[in-house]
Structure formats: C-alpha cells, structure tokens
Amino acid sequence: MDARGRAGSFCTRYGLRVPVLEAPMAGACPPELAAAVAGAGGMGASGVVNDTPEKIERWVGRYRELVGDAPLQLNLWIPDPPASDAVGAQAAFLDGLGGSAAAAPGPAPDFTTQFEAVLAARPTAVSTIMGLLTPEQAAAARDAGVAWFATATTLDEALAAERAGADVVVAQAMEAGGHRGSVDPDAAEATTVGLFALIPWLADALTVPVVAAGAVADGRSLAAALTLGAAGVQVGTALLRTPEAGVDAGWAAALDGLAPEDTVMTRAYTGRLARGIATEYVRAWARPDAPAPAPYPHQRHLVARYRAGERGTLDRVNHWAGQAAARATTEPAGEVVARMWREAEVLLP
C-alpha cells in the first residue's frame, strides 16, 4: 500500500480527517489544545500519568464539551519496577543549586485505578509508554472498544507490543522531545535511533500500523514519515508555542529558534531519560561533580519537593523540546495541523 493509502486507511479506522495525532504530553495538553487538534481533523490527546481518576474524568468531560465524540488518546506510563529510594546525594546537590525542599508530596495516583478511569472515559485509544499492558488489561481495553497504541523505541519493543495485542505501534525516535519510551530504563541511552532509520525498520516488520513520533513539525517531515512507511504522525513540540497550549511562558519562548543541538538527553527532571532544552539546571547535572539523578520516580518526587520549596536554579517546569523545536510557531493549533497536511499533500505522489 502506498503512503496515501496507508494514511487513508488509518484515518478511516480511527475517525480522522488528517493523519496527525497530538502527542500526549503530561502537563502540557489542556483540553483546549486537544480540541483544536481534533477540530482540524486530527486526534486530541492527554498524558494522564500524574492524574487521579477524578481529574481524568474532568479533563475528558471538558474535551467532550468542546468537540463531542471527536477522536481522543489518553496515555499512561507502565510503572517501573521498585528502585532504591535513597536520594541523599541528589538532595544535597539541589541544595547546592540554591534550593531547599518542602514536605514530601502525597502518594502518586494508582495505575490500576487510572487505567479503569481511562477505560470508563471511552477514548478512541489508550496509549502506553515504558512498557506493555498485561494480557488482562489488553483484553479489558478490547472489550471496552478502546484501541491500544503502544510506544516502542526499538524493533524488539515493537514486536513485543504487537504480540501482546497492540493495535498501533508509535515509533518514537531519538529526536522526540520529552521522555524516551524505552521499556528498560537502563538501556535508553544505548537505543537512540533516528526517525528515518526507525520507521522503515518497524514498518517492514510489523503488520499493525506505525505512527511516527520525533521531529515531525511541518508538511515536509509529515510527508517523509508517510513515505517511509508510517500511517500517521504524532506531534508534540510543534504545538507547544500555540496559544491553546498554555505552557510556561519561559519554556515556550525558549523554543523560538532553538537549534537541534541545543536540546539534550537528560535524567535531571525525573530520573527517566528525556530530551529537553539545555537549561542552566540541566547543564548542572552534567557537571563532573554532579551525582547521577535518582531512579524514576524518586528524582521526579525530589524535584517536586524543591519546586514546592525554594527552587534555586531549578527550572519552574520541565523544559521538554524535540530537535525540530525551531519549527514550532505561534499559530493556533488547528492551523498548525491543517497547514502540515496541506503541505504534505502537495509532496505525496
């Protein structure tokens, strides 16, 4: 099947007019942004890793108020195995950056109750990152009529997702902003593959559709991803400067003209490898005297405590950014999506 045929079949299957999915960026996906993407014919999304069931219900309720039953993806992290919670060295380092911690936050939301809340909301798709649903969870999603989109960063991860029953594999390349979806957190640095190598590598081996994620920010990259074997694309950083995103002003401003080499891979915010802007805080954790960040979720909890106390040079929010950040514009999100598809259609045979 050619690029247009793949994209057309994918759109028909998931109720889209254009093969563009909003990346489910936790903390940066207000319902208004998701609704703008859906209004342009794409799929809205939210990352709900930090959300209680009540917050998930409220978010989806607002989205439905704006766009009715438009396509929607809700994303969950598969929990990491327990790790050591010793954070003394990391806390001392943050103290040295001028901060001081507030009291420890309450417990994180329970994955099982989050998953139940997602299925109760009846999105088009539940997507996963950092691992796979259990057979029982995959069956529950299927019984609820909810598709499963599984994130993969390697062919082995993609094949495991397909065997486990995933309906779609999201191929996350090294250029993508935010967290790497690597199942094994310790292998993340060693499995960074670029988009042009990753898409055909996965598409040629899988029978389920592949959605490309990483450095897709205009019609050229959208057309290239479809030509290489993707059925659709997932777009994140390209939407962060839009008025609907409503992200921290400093973060949004830093994306303007950001060179690809000015984004770096770091564990400084959460303990999981992710791509972000090389801020003063991020660079500090790369110094020779810096300790290794604590494993996820302990580094994330520690950072949250310092943000609630005295931040010092700690960034107000996680400054995530993909390598195509300079192509993000301040256009309304719906116009960004529509323009990308117009540009891509001209280039596709």
Side-chain angles (χ1 to χ4, degrees):
M1 188 180 294
D2 65 12
R4 286 184 182 273
R6 276 192 306 276
S9 295
F10 183 79
C11 288
T12 298
R13 170 65 181 85
Y14 293 106
L16 308 172
R17 298 195 306 276
V18 301
V20 178
L21 285 63
E22 177 191 6
M25 303 171 286
C29 288
E32 291 73 17
L33 175 59
V37 172
M43 183 181 291
S46 182
V48 300
V49 59
N50 299 319
D51 294 349
T52 63
E54 294 76 18
K55 188 172 181 180
I56 293 170
E57 182 179 11
R58 287 195 302 271
W59 191 100
V60 174
R62 175 58 178 158
Y63 179 80
R64 297 300 186 205
E65 286 177 3
L66 293 169
V67 288
D69 291 330
L72 172 64
Q73 172 194 172
L74 297 178
N75 177 264
L76 286 168
W77 282 29
I78 303 300
D80 280 356
S84 168
D85 59 359
V87 294
Q90 292 82 7
F93 186 73
L94 281 164
D95 285 337
L97 298 180
S100 62
D110 174 71
F111 177 84
T112 299
T113 57
Q114 286 179 319
F115 181 70
E116 291 170 351
V118 166
L119 294 192
R122 294 294 191 272
T124 309
V126 55
S127 63
T128 55
I129 192 168
M130 317 300 190
L132 302 175
L133 297 177
T134 66
E136 294 77 17
Q137 291 164 344
R142 193 162 50 248
D143 291 345
V146 177
W148 173 22
F149 291 10
T151 303
T153 62
T154 67
L155 180 57
D156 285 345
E157 291 176 354
L159 290 171
E162 184 176 61
R163 289 193 299 268
D167 298 287
V168 171
V169 167
V170 179
Q172 189 196 45
M174 64 176 287
E175 298 97 330
H179 285 95
R180 294 283 296 157
S182 306
V183 174
D184 179 358
D186 296 329
E189 282 90 350
T191 55
T192 51
V193 181
L195 192 69
F196 274 28
L198 189 63
I199 297 172
W201 186 234
L202 268 58
D204 289 351
L206 301 176
T207 60
V208 299
V210 172
V211 168
V216 180
D218 58 17
R220 295 172 298 176
S221 46
L222 171 50
L226 297 181
T227 301
L228 287 168
V233 298
Q234 187 163 275
V235 177
T237 307
L239 297 170
L240 287 178
R241 295 184 66 208
T242 64
E244 297 91 345
V247 301
D248 177 80
W251 177 16
L255 299 172
D256 187 11
L258 185 71
E261 63 269 24
D262 289 333
T263 68
V264 296
M265 301 299 278
T266 182
R267 294 179 183 262
Y269 291 120
T270 68
R272 268 283 193 166
L273 190 65
R275 182 174 295 282
I277 300 170
T279 64
E280 180 183 356
Y281 168 75
V282 167
R283 290 194 299 271
W285 283 90
R287 294 189 327 225
D289 65 316
Y296 180 88
H298 305 302
Q299 181 78 5
R300 180 170 69 84
H301 292 164
L302 185 65
V303 166
R305 291 179 59 193
Y306 276 78
R307 282 187 175 138
E310 294 296 327
R311 289 189 296 114
T313 57
L314 171 60
D315 299 323
R316 185 182 305 275
V317 296
N318 303 345
H319 283 62
W320 302 137
Q323 288 189 329
R327 281 179 272 159
T329 73
T330 56
E331 298 172 279
E335 292 183 15
V336 171
V337 172
R339 173 178 50 78
M340 287 178 65
W341 183 237
R342 286 197 305 271
E343 293 172 351
E345 280 202 298
V346 173
L347 297 172
L348 290 172

